[in-house]
Amino acid sequence: MTKPFFREKSPIIACTVSGATYILYTCPSNCVARVPLVFITNANGNVSVTFKIYKASTATSYFVIGGKNMSQGEFIQLSDNTGLILEAGDRLEVIPTGSTVVVDALCTVIEQFKPVG
């Protein structure tokens, strides 16, 4: 019997266009991912940040944070040892809005790949 294998990742993105949906992370095929940390910071001016989870099984995005107003230097940290659990095709989305958007987002991901066959 083939054992599943694990991989750790820390994707990071820079969001600079107001109203655009930025994908922070997408769970690969044949995989289940645990996300114990998400960190979003505003580096410039005042912005509003929305954070969503897209579930591939329902083709729907769900709000985790809906329009959090952030001043320059403010950050959001979502952390839990259990973490968010994502399945293949699920993704984390960040949507910043404001006149001078400079929002960075990162997460820590532990992927467990399922053997095929």
Side-chain angles (χ1 to χ4, degrees):
M1 181 172 154
T2 307
K3 292 184 176 181
F5 71 93
F6 295 87
R7 176 173 67 183
E8 297 174 334
K9 296 177 76 171
S10 286
I12 187 168
I13 57 172
C15 309
T16 57
V17 176
S18 181
T21 298
Y22 290 86
I23 297 172
L24 175 57
Y25 172 76
T26 302
C27 186
S29 299
N30 300 319
C31 183
V32 173
R34 185 167 53 89
V35 183
L37 173 69
V38 176
F39 195 86
I40 303 169
T41 187
N42 175 27
N44 189 42
N46 293 318
V47 299
S48 176
V49 173
T50 298
F51 178 64
K52 294 181 177 183
I53 296 176
Y54 172 83
K55 295 297 289 179
S57 62
T58 60
T60 304
S61 292
Y62 298 93
F63 287 92
V64 176
I65 297 170
K68 165 74 170 132
N69 292 320
M70 299 175 68
S71 57
Q72 184 173 345
E74 192 173 353
F75 64 89
I76 299 166
Q77 179 178 336
L78 303 173
S79 59
D80 184 309
N81 289 339
T82 305
L84 303 167
I85 305 300
L86 303 178
E87 298 170 334
D90 293 354
R91 63 181 181 250
L92 303 176
E93 303 173 335
V94 178
I95 306 160
T97 54
S99 58
T100 54
V101 173
V102 181
V103 171
D104 293 331
L106 67 90
C107 64
T108 300
V109 181
I110 302 159
E111 297 173 330
Q112 178 181 343
F113 288 87
K114 302 173 189 176
V116 177

